[in-house]
Every structure is written in C-alpha cells, then in structure tokens.
Amino acid sequence: MTTAQTEGLIGMLVVLGILVVLIAPSVVGILRDRRIDREINRLTSAVPAGEDHETQTVGRGRQGGSAHPAYGHWRPRRG
C-alpha cells in the first residue's frame, strides 16, 4: 500500500466517522419518538371507548377542578 492510498483510506475513515457523529443524534431521536408513540398507542388502546374520561384525567374531581402539574394538588373551580 502506497502513501497516497494510506492517506486516502485515512481521509475516507475520517469522513465516515464525521458522518456517523452527525447522523447518530437523529437516529436516537427517531427511536425515542417511536418508543413514545408506541406507549401512547398502548395507553389509548387500554382505555375502553365508553368509559367516563373524568376517572382517567389526573387531578380532576367531579366539580371539574384542576391540578397544578408540578405540585399535584387539587384546586376547585371558581364561580
């Protein structure tokens, strides 16, 4: 193998390495999105169609109050 061939091989490997570094975050993001989509589909298919959605909503009582997402406490609706 000559010096020119060795330099060409090293250059090609560097370019492929840079390509992998640039593409890896996109692939990880796509895989993460697919996992989240599967979880959402699994959870939405687990809820029967005729069931009352008030029991499925976190932080809502019968009066329609709301819960602060960070604290999780129930606050009654005003008026």
Side-chain angles (χ1 to χ4, degrees):
M1 198 176 227
T2 65
T3 305
Q5 290 174 333
T6 305
E7 287 178 2
L9 180 62
I10 291 172
M12 191 182 331
L13 291 176
V14 168
V15 169
L16 288 175
I18 292 172
L19 183 66
V20 167
V21 167
L22 291 175
I23 291 178
S26 297
V27 171
V28 170
I30 290 169
L31 294 176
R32 180 176 177 265
D33 286 344
R34 291 184 67 179
R35 180 184 54 85
I36 291 170
D37 288 341
R38 281 194 307 268
E39 285 185 31
I40 290 172
N41 289 336
R42 182 180 56 88
L43 291 174
T44 55
S45 65
V47 176
E51 190 172 317
D52 185 17
H53 291 290
E54 279 189 45
T55 59
Q56 296 296 323
T57 307
V58 175
R60 291 201 166 209
R62 295 260 179 216
Q63 290 80 23
S66 63
H68 190 279
Y71 305 116
H73 63 276
W74 182 77
R75 182 180 60 206
R77 186 172 45 173
R78 293 185 182 171

